C-alpha cells in the first residue's frame, strides 16, 4: 500500500471543540498528502481553507411524515459505506462517539469482507455527559468495545471512560493541538512573539458554545467582581442556550456597556489579540481547546480545576486553576494578573512555550499516524 492514506472523517460540523479538532486534523493530514473525506451534515464551521486533498460529503437527512425524529445515524452509516466504497478508503476516523461511532460500526458491518478499520476519538461530553445517560450508555459501551482503536483527548478522559464504562481495552491518549503560525502572540509584528502587558482597558474573554457545562453566568459574575475594582471589558464569543441568561445577568448587574456578546466568530486569533485573560470556569472540561489556543497567543487562563484542564494549563505557571464555582477566587486571580505585569508576562510566555512544545501539530499528527498504522497492520 502507498504510504498515503485515504481516511473518512466523521464529526459534528459545529463550532464545538470536537468538530474543530476533527476538521483541523483533516486539513493537516491533507497537507501531508493523505486524501481526507469529511462526512457530515454540513461543512465544518472552522474549515475555511481549501485544500485539493480535502473533500466534503454531505449526509442528507431525509424527513418523512412518519419520522418524528429523522434517523440521522442511519443516513450517516449509509453515506460512510458509500464513500468508503467509492473512494476506496483505508479507514474511518470518527469523532465524538454518539452517534458517529455507531454509524461507523454499522457501515463496517455492511462492508462485510471489505470491512475497513475504525478509530474512535472521544472528546469529552460524549463520555462524561451524553454517553452515560441511560439511553446511550449501553450503545456507547458497545461501540467502545467494537472500535478498532479508541483515542481520548486527555488522560483524565481516558480514566473517566474506564471508570464509567468499565472498558477493558487500550485507549490511546492523543491530546489536541494548536498551530503556532495560526495562533500567535499579539505583538506578532515582531518576529520574536513577545507577549504584551495588559493594555489600558483590560479585556477579559470567554469563548464557548454557551452550554450549561460552561457555567457562562459564572463568567459574568467573575467579571462583575473584577470590573468593580478595575474598569475593564468582557468579550463573550459564541452562542448557545446560556447566552440569554448571561445577557440578562449582565444587564441586572448594570454591566451591559462593558460586556460584548459577539456571537460565533471564526477569527479567534484576532480576538485573543485584544484579550488579556481567558475565563473558562467550566463544570467539566475533558481537555480545553480554547485554553490551549489562548496559551498559544500568550493569553493567561483562569479556569476550573477539572477534568483535563490541569493537563493543559499548569496552575501558577500558564494560568490559574480554581475549584468549580469559586467565582471570588477566579476574580482574585484575574486581578493579580492585571495588576502584576511581571507575573503576567511570565505566565504569557510560559503558556506559549507549553502550547508549542507539548501540543504542536507535528507531534500530535505523528501520534494519530501511529494509531492509524497500528489498526491497518493488525
Ligand atoms: O464542550 C464543547 O465545547 C464541545 C465539545 C465537543 O465535543 O464538541 O468539546 C469537548 O471536546 C473538545 C475537543 O476535544 C475539548 O477541548 C473540550 O474540553 C470538550 N468539552 C468538554 O469536555 C465539556
Amino acid at each position: 500500500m502507498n504510504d498515503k492514506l485515504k481516511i473518512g472523517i466523521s464529526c459534528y460540523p459545529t463550532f464545538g471543540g470536537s468538530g474543530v479538532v476533527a476538521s483541523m486534523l483533516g486539513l493537516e493530514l491533507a497537507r501531508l498528502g493523505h486524501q481526507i473525506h469529511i462526512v457530515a451534515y454540513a461543512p465544518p464551521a472552522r474549515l475555511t481553507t481549501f485544500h485539493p486533498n480535502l473533500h466534503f460529503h454531505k449526509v442528507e437527512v431525509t424527513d418523512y411524515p412518519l419520522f418524528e425524529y429523522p434517523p440521522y445515524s442511519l443516513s450517516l452509516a449509509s453515506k460512510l459505506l458509500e464513500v468508503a466504497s467509492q473512494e476506496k478508503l483505508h479507514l474511518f476516523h470518527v469523532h465524538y462517539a454518539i452517534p458517529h461511532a455507531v454509524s461507523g460500526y454499522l457501515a463496517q458491518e455492511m462492508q462485510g469482507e471489505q470491512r475497513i478499520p475504525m478509530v474512535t476519538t472521544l472528546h469529552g461530553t460524549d463520555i462524561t455527559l451524553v454517553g452515560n445517560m441511560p439511553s446511550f450508555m449501553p450503545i456507547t459501551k458497545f461501540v467502545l468495545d467494537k472500535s478498532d482503536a479508541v483515542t481520548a483527548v486527555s488522560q483524565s478522559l481516558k480514566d473517566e471512560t474506564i471508570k464509567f464504562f468499565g472498558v477493558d481495552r487500550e485507549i490511546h491518549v492523543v491530546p489536541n493541538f494548536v498551530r503556532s503560525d495560526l495562533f500567535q502572540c499579539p505583538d506578532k509584528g515582531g518576529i520574536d512573539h513577545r507577549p504584551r502587558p495588559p493594555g489600558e482597558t483590560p479585556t477579559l474573554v470567554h469563548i464557548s458554545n454557551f452550554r450549561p457545562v460552561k457555567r457562562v453566568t459564572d463568567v459574568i459574575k467573575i467579571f462583575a467582581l473584577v470590573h468593580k475594582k478595575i474598569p475593564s471589558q468582557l468579550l463573550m464569543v459564541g452562542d448557545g442556550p446560556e447566552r440569554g441568561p448571561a445577557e440578562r445577568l449582565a444587564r441586572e448587574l448594570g454591566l451591559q456597556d462593558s460586556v460584548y456578546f459577539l456571537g460565533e466568530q471564526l477569527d479567534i486569533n484576532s480576538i485573543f489579540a485584544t484579550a488579556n485573560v481567558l475565563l473558562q470556569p467550566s463544570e467539566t472540561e475533558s481537555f480545553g481547546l480554547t485554553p490551549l489556543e489562548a496559551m498559544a497567543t500568550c493569553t493567561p487562563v483562569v479556569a476550573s480545576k477539572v477534568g483535563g484542564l490541569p493537563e493543559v494549563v499548569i496552575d501558577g505557571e500558564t494560568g490559574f486553576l480554581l475549584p468549580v464555582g469559586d467565582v471570588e477566587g477566579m476574580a482574585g486571580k484575574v486581578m493579580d494578573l492585571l495588576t502584576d505585569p511581571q507575573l503576567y508576562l511570565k505566565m504569557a510566555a510560559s503558556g506559549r512555550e507549553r502550547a508549542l512544545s507539548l501540543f504542536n501539530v507535528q507531534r500530535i499528527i505523528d501520534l494519530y499516524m501511529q494509531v492509524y498504522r497500528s489498526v491497518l497492520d493488525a
Side-chain angles (χ1 to χ4, degrees):
M1 185 198 305
N2 168 339
D3 70 331
K4 299 301 178 201
L5 298 178
K6 295 179 187 165
I7 305 171
I9 291 184
S10 181
C11 63
Y12 284 110
T14 54
F15 280 90
S18 61
V20 172
V21 170
S23 46
M24 291 300 113
L25 172 64
L27 180 58
E28 293 306 325
L29 290 166
R31 286 184 170 136
L32 291 172
H34 304 288
Q35 292 292 328
I36 304 302
H37 297 268
I38 296 198
V39 185
Y41 58 81
R46 282 263 288 262
L47 196 56
T48 51
T49 311
F50 166 78
H51 194 286
N53 293 346
L54 191 56
H55 315 272
F56 170 67
H57 304 264
K58 184 173 162 68
V59 179
E60 299 290 346
V61 185
T62 315
D63 206 355
Y64 182 71
L66 204 60
F67 299 158
E68 193 165 339
Y69 308 102
Y72 173 69
S73 328
L74 304 186
S75 307
L76 174 59
S78 298
K79 195 71 184 177
L80 284 169
L81 177 71
E82 178 193 309
V83 175
S85 114
Q86 279 175 1
E87 306 294 341
K88 308 214 170 358
L89 296 184
H90 295 119
L91 64 100
F92 294 128
H93 186 176
V94 298
H95 291 257
Y96 205 95
I98 300 294
H100 303 112
V102 179
S103 305
Y105 170 75
L106 282 176
Q108 285 182 302
E109 285 298 294
M110 290 188 281
Q111 285 176 315
E113 288 184 355
Q114 313 297 320
R115 181 189 181 282
I116 58 171
M118 173 170 76
V119 176
T120 298
T121 289
L122 307 175
H123 281 273
T125 50
D126 45 351
I127 293 299
T128 56
L129 293 179
V130 181
N132 59 54
M133 287 172 180
S135 59
F136 291 125
M137 181 141 184
I139 200 155
T140 307
K141 182 170 174 10
F142 178 78
V143 289
L144 285 174
D145 288 337
K146 292 292 178 188
S147 301
D148 296 275
V150 175
T151 77
V153 295
S154 63
Q155 181 63 42
S156 150
L157 182 59
K158 172 178 174 171
D159 296 343
E160 299 250 41
T161 308
I162 293 169
K163 191 172 102 199
F164 284 142
F165 295 95
V167 287
D168 179 22
R169 63 157 307 146
E170 186 171 7
I171 298 178
H172 307 266
V173 175
V174 182
N176 294 330
F177 59 89
V178 67
R179 276 189 54 161
S180 55
D181 54 338
L182 295 183
F183 289 87
Q184 298 199 350
C185 294
D187 201 359
K188 51 189 172 285
I191 343 137
D192 59 355
H193 301 309
R194 268 183 311 118
R196 84 303 190 200
E200 287 198 352
T201 303
T203 303
L204 311 189
V205 66
H206 172 75
I207 306 177
S208 78
N209 46 19
F210 287 49
R211 285 178 298 153
V213 71
K214 301 292 177 183
R215 296 182 70 99
V216 180
T217 48
D218 278 9
V219 175
I220 305 291
K221 291 178 196 164
I222 296 165
F223 175 68
L225 293 173
V226 174
H227 187 68
K228 222 190 263 175
K229 298 262 168 65
I230 305 175
S232 43
Q233 58 184 0
L234 170 65
L235 308 181
M236 297 290 279
V237 179
D239 216 332
E242 290 297 295
R243 178 176 170 154
E247 281 189 290
R248 274 194 293 282
L249 182 61
R251 268 197 304 277
E252 276 162 31
L253 297 175
L255 296 169
Q256 62 279 6
D257 295 333
S258 311
V259 181
Y260 300 89
F261 286 86
L262 305 178
E264 287 166 344
Q265 297 280 330
L266 279 173
D267 189 3
I268 301 299
N269 190 41
S270 297
I271 288 175
F272 281 130
T274 63
N276 297 105
V277 179
L278 172 79
L279 295 175
Q280 187 90 29
S282 309
E283 184 81 36
T284 68
E285 203 66 64
S286 71
F287 181 86
L289 184 61
T290 308
L292 174 61
E293 292 174 342
M295 280 160 45
T297 63
C298 297
T299 309
V301 178
V302 174
S304 312
K305 195 177 207 143
V306 280
L309 275 169
E311 294 170 51
V312 180
V313 179
I314 302 299
D315 186 24
E317 262 180 49
T318 70
F320 291 107
L321 298 177
L322 291 109
V324 174
D326 185 358
V327 166
E328 284 85 13
M330 292 189 196
K333 293 301 181 193
V334 172
M335 289 189 272
D336 288 351
L337 279 163
L338 296 181
T339 51
D340 183 343
Q342 235 178 332
L343 171 75
Y344 186 90
L345 289 172
K346 199 164 154 265
M347 285 204 160
S350 309
R352 174 132 178 120
E353 195 187 308
R354 181 171 172 76
L356 300 197
S357 57
L358 233 74
F359 304 103
N360 74 73
V361 61
Q362 288 82 5
R363 179 172 171 264
I364 306 306
I365 298 292
D366 282 353
L367 294 178
Y368 275 120
M369 285 307 293
Q370 284 168 28
V371 176
Y372 295 161
R373 296 286 171 210
S374 73
V375 294
L376 290 168
D377 293 345

